[in-house]
Amino acid sequence: MGVKSWKLGDGVELQEGEYPQDAKIFMSDEEPGIEIPDLVPNTVRLLIVSKRLKDGMEEVNRGPVQYLPLSIYNHKKRLASSDYFIVNPLGTVDVLDTSASEIKYHEGKVVRVIKHVLDAKKIVQAPDLFRLKEAPDSYVVSERVLDAWRKIAPKPTNITFFVLDVPPAT
């Protein structure tokens, strides 16, 4: 794409001129696809979505996000679709209950969050789409985003989600 993907992976805002006007990615030669799903799997853990999913998120989201247009080319280097976006939720949000979550540390730094438990008090102010402070490559969407996606017809493809624990506030 011609952009430092670490910025998109960490939720750093891209400035004017940092994102190419004609951003594109290519499907793998090993797994040529006939149809592109609404949520595009990729090896660099970017949130790549169809315009349908982007519109659903954008409609309800209250947080800072960049929606960066992207064209996808097939394995024969022909345009498959120009209706995709990299969704870059900016920054991270501190919502984990670190004492109740299962987190692997190395030298005081988070290596991996194995079990996510959200803090009921912290989550109240969270946006509808965000990255976790302890795991910026993980994306969290609210029930409002899921409701917006549930209204899309035909049903969006390739979406898997996990319900995170939120014990009652004490």
Side-chain angles (χ1 to χ4, degrees):
M1 276 190 320
V3 68
K4 294 180 180 174
S5 63
W6 71 265
K7 286 187 172 188
L8 297 173
D10 286 351
V12 175
E13 184 173 11
L14 295 181
Q15 301 302 312
E16 183 79 30
E18 286 189 299
Y19 190 76
Q21 296 271 345
D22 63 342
K24 60 186 103 172
I25 58 173
F26 296 89
M27 291 181 196
S28 166
D29 288 334
E30 291 95 39
E31 296 182 35
I34 296 172
E35 291 186 29
I36 307 169
D38 287 294
L39 179 61
V40 179
N42 60 90
T43 58
V44 290
R45 300 185 77 157
L46 296 178
L47 186 53
I48 301 175
V49 302
S50 66
K51 182 177 183 335
R52 297 173 347 130
L53 289 186
K54 189 269 297 181
D55 289 348
M57 280 185 261
E58 198 171 31
E59 179 182 310
V60 299
N61 184 47
R62 303 172 305 212
V65 176
Q66 283 184 311
Y67 299 98
L68 305 163
L70 180 71
S71 294
I72 299 178
Y73 285 74
N74 67 19
H75 64 289
K76 294 180 181 181
K77 311 298 185 238
R78 295 184 188 137
L79 180 64
S81 179
S82 59
D83 284 340
Y84 279 78
F85 294 81
I86 295 175
V87 180
N88 184 23
L90 301 178
T92 60
V93 180
D94 179 12
V95 294
L96 276 188
D97 178 340
T98 55
S99 61
S101 297
E102 187 178 342
I103 303 174
K104 292 255 187 208
Y105 292 93
H106 178 70
E107 297 181 359
K109 293 187 180 182
V110 174
V111 175
R112 183 172 168 222
V113 179
I114 298 163
K115 181 180 179 192
H116 302 76
V117 178
L118 303 179
D119 183 308
K121 292 176 185 172
K122 292 179 181 179
I123 198 71
V124 172
Q125 296 300 317
D128 294 294
L129 168 65
F130 63 92
R131 298 168 189 269
L132 294 171
K133 174 184 162 196
E134 293 79 4
D137 60 348
S138 296
Y139 303 96
V140 178
V141 296
S142 70
E143 192 71 30
R144 287 168 27 103
V145 171
L146 292 177
D147 287 344
W149 289 350
R150 286 181 185 115
K151 294 176 186 173
I152 297 172
K155 182 179 172 183
T157 56
N158 203 38
I159 296 176
T160 302
F161 63 91
F162 304 92
V163 177
L164 301 178
D165 291 336
V166 185
T170 54

